Structures are given as C-alpha cells and as structure tokens.
Amino acid sequence: MLSKRVLLEVDSGSSAHKTFRRRFAMLNRIAESLFWIGRYTERAENHARLIDAFYHIREETADEDHLWIRMVRAVGDPTQFETAQLAYREQDVLFYVALDASHSNSIHSCVQSTKTNLKTVRERLPEELWDIVNGFALWLRSGEADELLYESPFLFLRKVKENMGMFYGAAQHMMFRDQQWLIMESGRYLERAENTARLLESLHRSIADDESRVSYYLFSAVRALGGVDVYRRLYSDHFTLEHTASLLIMNELFPRSVQHGLSGLEANLHTIRGMNGADPALDKAIRLVVKARSELSWLDTSELAKGSLLNGMEAINQLGAAVGDAFFRARQGVRA
C-alpha cells in the first residue's frame, strides 16, 4: 500500500514515474504473495479437517460411494474427477483430495502454492516459515506420504494439521506486526470464514439427503472444526441445528466461526487503512465485510435446515475479489 502523498508526487511523464510503476508492481506482487500464503495455509488445514470428518462419517454409513462423491464435491470439482476416474473408489478419491498435483485444491497443491508464494517474499519473513513449508512440501512429494495416506488416512491428515499449525505458530510468535503480517492474516481470516461457510453448505446437503441422521451430521461438522468440547460446554451433548449454527456462524469467541473470521478480517483492514489513509478499493472491501457481518447477525439460526442461512452468506463470496482489489490489483492507472 502506498500513501496518497507518494502517488501525487509522481509525474506521469517522468522517468520517476517509470521507477514508481516498477516499484508499485513489485509491492503488488509482495502483497499478493502474502495474501495467498495466508489463504493457502488455512485451506490446507481446513481440507485436512474436512476430509477427517468425512472419514468418521464413513464408519457409520452404508453408502460409501455417495460419501466419496460428497467428499470430492466439498473439496474439489466432480467434473474434473470424473474426467480422470471411472468410479468413486476410496483410494482414487483420497489421492485426488490429498496428493493430486493436477487438482488445484488438493492438500498437496495448497502447500506447493504456499511454497511458491513464500519464495517470493522469503527474505522478508522469518526463516523458520520457509523451513516448515519447504520441508513439508518435499515430504508430500515423497513415497512416504503416499504410503501413509493409504495405510492410515487419519495419521496423514494429522500430519497436515500439525505442520500447518507449526507454520501459524511460528508466524504468530516471530513475525513483525507490520502490513505484511496484516495482509497475510487478512487472507487467513477470509479463507477461514469461506471454509466454514462451505462446510455448512456440505452439511445442508447431507441433511437434505438423509434427515434420519441429522444429529450425527451435526456432530461431524462441529468435530471437523475442533469445536466438540466447546459445543458440549455451551449446549450439553444434544446436537441441534440451531445450536450448531449459533456456534459455527454467530459465536465470535469460537475461532473457526464465520463471524470470528469476518471480525478478524475487518479489524486487519481497518488497521491497514489507519496506516495508509483512505483508499477506494480498501474502503469498499471494509464495507462488504461490515455488510456480510450485519446480514449474518440478523439471520435466524433455527432456519438452517431450510437453507436460509446459506442464502444469507452470499455476501461472503464477494469479499475475495474486493480484498484482492484493495491489496494488489491495478489502481491509479497502474497495472500490476
């Protein structure tokens, strides 16, 4: 982000302007890399949690083929999967969602994309972050990762969650709290809000397919986000639609709720604005976050089964492009 003063000082016809254009493009690339580091690390961990939840459902379901279809739908693109595979077999689905390099949303691809973006800003961030991501990316390409995935999916997914947790822990303890940190955290918070919303969409489809097992699907969704202990503390051991929606959407104290993600995103954007002054793209992003939070706060959690909550989350889908505009898209006539 550049201040208005710097922008106004540049004469569009001068050699200084050419230097400015190059510098602006460089800053855009740095911001874009930081933003996607936050998103991809969060996405990799979220996918591991989601796949883990599906695997626990597998132990209780009589229709495994339908379960694999739902897993691919939640994490990837069924059309892409069906182009390469004739049937939804367990090992093929596991490879697709976890290690398939041709699938842009697989865990492998998310970690590799993190590594690619981290390489761009490596000298600006603590060395430990590169060591964690690079080491884990190399492991995911090894035969050991293949073997562990098929022999013990639960241990493979635990390793993913542990490595992403190490990355976030190292960043939390060592990164300087400047704009680089705020941009990376903005990506993480946005991804977390979107991921929880997608989980709720998957939950809604599961309930529509089999209303006889609502409580089990609710338990699996809460478990995927690590919220079972919190849920039981707040609502005892009876899993209902209303209480699940209250925790996963409304409760800002729960770190994986939609509102917590949006709240964190809004706070970071406001801090960045305070450092740089008014900016049309940044102001628009802030307005959209406030709008999304407001719309969610007025929703009736008891209507989750009818899909009204999902309709109310449409504003979240606009945030990715808006935040991208604020951080690294072309502004003031300069193309990144």
Side-chain angles (χ1 to χ4, degrees):
M1 303 285 294
L2 298 177
S3 68
K4 283 185 173 181
R5 180 180 62 80
V6 172
L7 292 171
L8 292 173
E9 285 178 355
V10 176
D11 176 8
S12 61
S14 66
S15 60
H17 180 62
K18 295 178 181 178
T19 302
F20 162 73
R21 288 170 64 90
R22 289 194 295 270
R23 181 175 175 228
F24 190 91
M26 180 188 70
L27 292 174
N28 275 350
R29 288 194 296 273
I30 292 169
E32 184 170 9
S33 293
L34 291 164
F35 180 70
W36 282 105
I37 288 168
R39 295 205 68 166
Y40 279 126
T41 51
E42 183 67 27
R43 189 175 302 177
E45 180 180 355
N46 175 79
H47 285 355
R49 291 180 176 277
L50 195 58
I51 296 166
D52 183 81
F54 273 110
Y55 244 83
H56 278 84
I57 294 176
R58 167 182 175 267
E59 298 174 353
E60 302 290 336
T61 186
D63 186 4
E64 282 198 21
D65 290 342
H66 184 59
L67 180 68
W68 304 135
I69 293 172
R70 285 173 46 218
M71 185 185 293
V72 169
R73 187 187 299 159
V75 176
D77 180 1
T79 302
Q80 181 190 33
F81 179 85
E82 292 164 9
T83 300
Q85 304 294 337
L86 297 176
Y88 283 84
R89 294 182 291 265
E90 178 181 355
Q91 287 201 346
D92 293 334
V93 170
L94 275 178
F95 177 78
Y96 176 73
V97 298
L99 294 177
D100 190 346
S102 67
H103 172 210
S104 61
N105 259 347
S106 70
I107 292 172
H108 171 277
S109 293
C110 289
V111 175
Q112 290 295 329
S113 294
T114 300
K115 178 180 174 180
T116 299
N117 283 285
L118 192 56
K119 188 180 297 184
T120 302
V121 294
R122 181 176 176 181
E123 295 181 356
R124 296 171 173 266
L125 299 179
E127 183 179 352
E128 286 83 351
L129 300 185
W130 170 259
D131 292 340
I132 292 168
V133 170
N134 184 50
F136 189 49
L138 292 174
W139 181 82
L140 286 172
R141 297 171 60 183
S142 69
E144 183 181 342
D146 287 327
E147 292 175 7
L148 184 61
L149 176 65
Y150 298 132
E151 292 176 3
S152 180
F154 291 118
L155 291 180
F156 175 89
L157 297 170
R158 180 188 297 175
K159 189 174 181 69
V160 175
K161 289 182 282 187
E162 287 175 350
N163 275 270
M164 294 301 96
M166 280 194 295
F167 177 88
Y168 176 65
Q172 182 75 26
H173 288 293
M174 287 182 279
M175 276 190 69
F176 189 60
R177 293 319 196 250
D178 57 2
Q179 289 192 71
Q180 294 183 151
W181 164 262
L182 294 168
I183 291 172
M184 194 169 81
E185 281 290 276
S186 295
R188 186 175 69 85
Y189 276 120
L190 174 61
E191 185 70 28
R192 182 168 292 190
E194 288 187 358
N195 285 333
T196 300
R198 283 194 290 268
L199 175 63
L200 288 165
E201 289 179 343
S202 178
L203 173 63
H204 178 63
R205 285 194 293 266
S206 298
I207 292 172
D209 291 341
D210 184 4
E211 295 184 359
S212 66
R213 308 188 66 213
V214 171
S215 61
Y216 185 74
Y217 289 138
L218 295 174
F219 171 80
S220 298
V222 174
R223 185 186 183 283
L225 299 181
V228 172
D229 291 338
V230 174
Y231 184 100
R232 285 172 171 159
R233 187 196 313 171
L234 296 175
Y235 308 116
S236 74
D237 204 26
H238 181 53
F239 284 80
T240 68
L241 287 166
E242 185 171 3
H243 289 161
T244 299
S246 294
L247 178 64
L248 301 188
I249 298 172
M250 306 296 189
N251 196 324
E252 288 192 31
L253 297 181
F254 181 57
R256 292 191 176 273
S257 74
V258 177
Q259 284 285 29
H260 181 89
L262 295 180
S263 176
L265 175 60
E266 182 184 352
N268 283 323
L269 295 181
H270 274 297
T271 303
I272 292 171
R273 189 185 188 281
M275 292 178 173
N276 294 276
D279 177 277
L282 183 57
D283 290 344
K284 178 183 177 182
I286 292 173
R287 287 196 303 272
L288 286 174
V289 178
V290 172
K291 176 184 175 184
R293 294 191 66 201
S294 177
E295 289 181 355
L296 286 175
S297 68
W298 285 98
L299 290 174
D300 184 354
T301 55
S302 66
E303 296 296 306
L304 176 60
K306 299 178 182 179
S308 65
L309 282 175
L310 304 181
N311 295 332
M313 291 180 188
E314 292 179 359
I316 296 176
N317 296 328
Q318 305 175 41
L319 293 179
V323 176
D325 284 336
F327 289 155
F328 49 78
R329 299 285 174 82
R331 294 198 301 280
Q332 301 291 338
V334 180
R335 294 184 61 83

